[in-house]
Amino acid sequence: MSKILVIYGILWLYLSSCITLVQIPLIEPPEISLPPGDQKIVFVSRFDTTQLSFSKGKVSEIYRESYVSFLKGLEAGFKTKKQLSLVLSDTIVAGRWFTVDTPDFNDADHIPFLISKFEPDYLLTLDAFHLEIQQDQQVKDFGDGGVTRFTEYYLVGSAALALFNDAARVVDKMLMSDEALGNESQAVPLSYDLGYNYALMYDEIRYTEDRYMYSGKVFQDAIESARNGKWEDAKQQLLPYTQDPKEKYAKQAASNMGVVEEALGNQNAAMIWYNKAGSYMINDLYPQ
């Protein structure tokens, strides 16, 4: 065994005995953010199906069933929200069939009219709902000179939605799309998912990530608090060591404080502590 490998092994054993892995809770903000408190959202459809794109025989039925499925998914998604109530109006505004990303409505007149009619906190409009079948040519090579060509069909669904506040100002515009392997038989479940997934955009996402912390004897209490999710306790237990006269302990404590501040949702404070830790920042030694 080479001297380099021996030294590396000793270094690894030393470092692994001084660090521990913890999981920190993180929150990703919602894609569509509304003020706290109860909010009434009224839904209005602003499209009709005067121009359609499938084979003519089934197309009207497919669009009708898919549209109903989209509304069911939308309603089911919003039912999971405690402070958001969705009202599905029976108003369907006559208009053209739009397939472009940003349908052009005269919102200056139309949105104030709808707001005065329904008196919502927010008005949600469906401005386009589109389904189409795409195909992809595939070639499979068996390696013995034999080749098979086949076609895969995809159903692609899209919906353009706009959200307005009670002052008729745009809060968000969203073009959603999804696809499923198969033909028009996938239209109903695909449409339901589109509606449900739109409602999910009002949710924050909670998840965990791994972080390394120094686990020397002086940090044992803080590590135990961190493992139990008592991040404020860990912060108070670590704070004195960030002023330790021994630079090693001070920088290791600063690195640990960065992890704690991340767990508490204080990203700016976390970066300040990580910068103070400098070369002792563990996540530089062990990138995620």
Side-chain angles (χ1 to χ4, degrees):
M1 184 180 293
S2 70
K3 288 184 178 180
I4 292 177
L5 288 177
V6 171
I7 293 171
Y8 179 83
I10 294 172
L11 179 61
W12 169 250
L13 287 173
Y14 171 75
L15 286 175
S16 62
S17 67
C18 297
I19 62 173
T20 190
L21 195 65
V22 299
Q23 286 193 325
I24 65 170
L26 295 173
I27 299 176
E28 185 175 323
E31 292 186 53
I32 304 174
S33 182
L34 299 182
D38 295 339
Q39 308 290 348
K40 174 187 173 184
I41 300 175
V42 172
F43 172 87
V44 173
S45 177
R46 299 203 294 176
F47 82 97
D48 62 26
T49 55
T50 57
Q51 298 180 39
L52 303 170
S53 60
F54 285 0
S55 59
K56 297 302 180 183
K58 299 180 181 178
V59 67
S60 296
E61 180 183 353
I62 289 172
Y63 268 104
R64 181 182 61 79
E65 292 180 354
S66 299
Y67 173 70
V68 171
S69 182
F70 174 84
L71 296 184
K72 287 180 178 178
L74 193 69
E75 190 172 27
F78 272 99
K79 280 184 178 178
T80 66
K81 315 288 180 287
K82 291 183 178 180
Q83 295 181 320
L84 302 181
S85 61
L86 181 70
V87 178
L88 298 177
S89 78
D90 58 1
T91 298
I92 297 180
V93 179
R96 296 167 295 166
W97 177 258
F98 291 96
T99 59
V100 295
D101 292 357
T102 54
D104 183 20
F105 287 96
N106 183 15
D107 287 342
D109 296 327
H110 189 219
I111 295 302
F113 165 74
L114 292 173
I115 289 174
S116 65
K117 178 178 179 179
F118 294 107
E119 299 182 345
D121 295 311
Y122 292 91
L123 178 74
L124 175 63
T125 64
L126 176 65
D127 297 340
F129 185 73
H130 188 59
L131 298 166
E132 62 178 317
I133 295 177
Q134 297 180 354
Q135 61 182 35
D136 185 18
Q137 299 291 331
Q138 299 284 339
V139 177
K140 185 174 182 179
D141 188 345
F142 293 97
D144 57 359
V147 174
T148 298
R149 300 179 183 275
F150 61 95
T151 301
E152 287 186 333
Y153 291 92
Y154 294 88
L155 179 74
V156 180
S158 59
L161 299 111
L163 185 70
F164 302 85
N165 63 18
D166 58 0
R169 292 178 180 171
V170 175
V171 175
D172 182 83
K173 282 196 173 184
M174 177 71 62
L175 176 67
M176 304 183 63
S177 64
D178 198 2
E179 67 178 36
L181 187 63
N183 54 23
E184 59 264 25
S185 64
Q186 298 297 318
V188 169
L190 179 64
S191 300
Y192 182 95
D193 289 345
L194 276 174
Y196 195 92
N197 289 335
Y198 175 78
L200 294 183
M201 293 182 182
Y202 292 82
D203 287 340
E204 61 185 18
I205 299 175
R206 295 178 178 269
Y207 60 103
T208 60
E209 282 190 2
D210 291 340
R211 292 290 186 272
Y212 290 101
M213 293 181 70
Y214 286 99
S215 57
K217 187 176 294 186
V218 296
F219 303 131
Q220 285 183 353
D221 289 343
I223 295 297
E224 186 66 22
S225 294
R227 285 174 172 165
N228 291 317
K230 298 178 179 179
W231 297 102
E232 284 290 353
D233 290 348
K235 181 176 179 178
Q236 297 306 315
Q237 290 158 343
L238 285 170
L239 201 55
Y241 293 104
T242 62
Q243 303 297 324
D244 198 285
K246 292 183 179 179
E247 183 184 22
K248 172 184 175 180
Y249 287 150
K251 288 194 171 183
Q252 288 181 351
S255 178
N256 286 353
M257 283 289 287
V259 174
V260 170
E261 291 289 9
E262 270 197 274
L264 291 170
N266 305 325
Q267 296 298 323
N268 291 336
M271 288 309 303
I272 291 172
W273 284 113
Y274 282 143
N275 288 332
K276 287 183 178 180
S279 61
Y280 278 86
M281 191 168 71
I282 291 175
N283 290 301
D284 278 348
L285 298 173
Y286 302 94
Q288 300 297 304

